Amino acid sequence: ATPSGLDLLNSAATVARLEAEIDRQLDDYARRPRKKFIGARTKEYRFAQYVEDWRHKIERVGTLNYPEAARGRLYGSLLLVVAIRADGSIERVEVQRSSGEPILDEAAKRIVQLAAPFAPFPSDIRGDTDILEIARTWTFTNADKVIAQ
């Protein structure tokens, strides 16, 4: 059986619709932020100095702003993910594993807000990364210090 002219028109319209949908999805994909996840064991050189500077700032601000309610009484560790945009602003802060002490979990998020904004990404990072997600274990010590490992 040969396809009729109407069948061919319907097929062409369907193909055009599918091509338009694929183009839209590709455009959406291209506009998505390019993210890079940095865990504690990441060794990629170009991120090392940025993350180390970030860690020093977090520890300094965290120790200066140790939660008053916890001083000498509460200590523990939590896993925090901080997503930083290329301009150094915060995309999001999320507790991945709680310390079991809501005061410490909230203090960690507050410390990130106090330390922000962070340095803008250097050009070698900015070239292919829009958002840097840094995951670190934060330890609130019994010496009233904050350590991000």
Side-chain angles (χ1 to χ4, degrees):
T2 60
S4 71
L6 193 54
D7 288 341
L8 290 175
L9 279 175
N10 284 339
S11 295
T14 300
V15 168
R17 256 195 324 277
L18 290 172
E19 285 177 341
E21 176 64 17
I22 290 168
D23 284 346
R24 188 190 61 73
Q25 288 176 354
L26 287 172
D27 286 346
D28 289 350
Y29 182 79
R31 280 195 290 276
R32 284 190 1 213
R34 299 164 300 165
K35 295 181 182 180
K36 173 70 176 169
F37 181 82
I38 304 293
R41 291 174 190 30
T42 298
K43 300 291 186 230
E44 197 170 341
Y45 173 77
R46 65 190 176 119
F47 296 104
Q49 190 60 57
Y50 187 88
V51 173
E52 188 62 12
D53 292 345
W54 175 86
R55 186 183 66 80
H56 281 294
K57 185 174 187 180
I58 287 294
E59 289 179 356
R60 186 175 66 251
V61 170
T63 298
L64 290 172
N65 293 279
Y66 200 89
E68 201 55 48
R71 284 195 189 275
R73 292 188 289 280
L74 296 176
Y75 48 91
S77 295
L78 59 113
L79 180 62
L80 196 73
V81 174
V82 179
I84 303 169
R85 294 183 196 100
D87 66 359
S89 64
I90 298 170
E91 169 81 9
R92 101 177 172 284
V93 180
E94 191 176 297
V95 175
Q96 291 283 309
R97 187 186 68 240
S98 172
S99 66
E101 297 288 349
I103 290 172
L104 298 181
D105 294 353
E106 288 305 311
K109 293 193 292 190
R110 182 173 163 271
I111 287 164
V112 171
Q113 299 295 336
L114 289 171
F118 301 100
F121 297 170
S123 59
D124 64 336
I125 294 176
R126 190 183 286 262
D128 65 359
T129 306
D130 298 320
I131 297 173
L132 195 56
E133 294 187 351
I134 303 172
R136 284 290 182 275
T137 298
W138 291 44
T139 303
F140 289 84
T141 73
N142 55 3
D144 298 340
K145 287 188 172 186
V146 174
I147 300 169
Q149 302 165 305

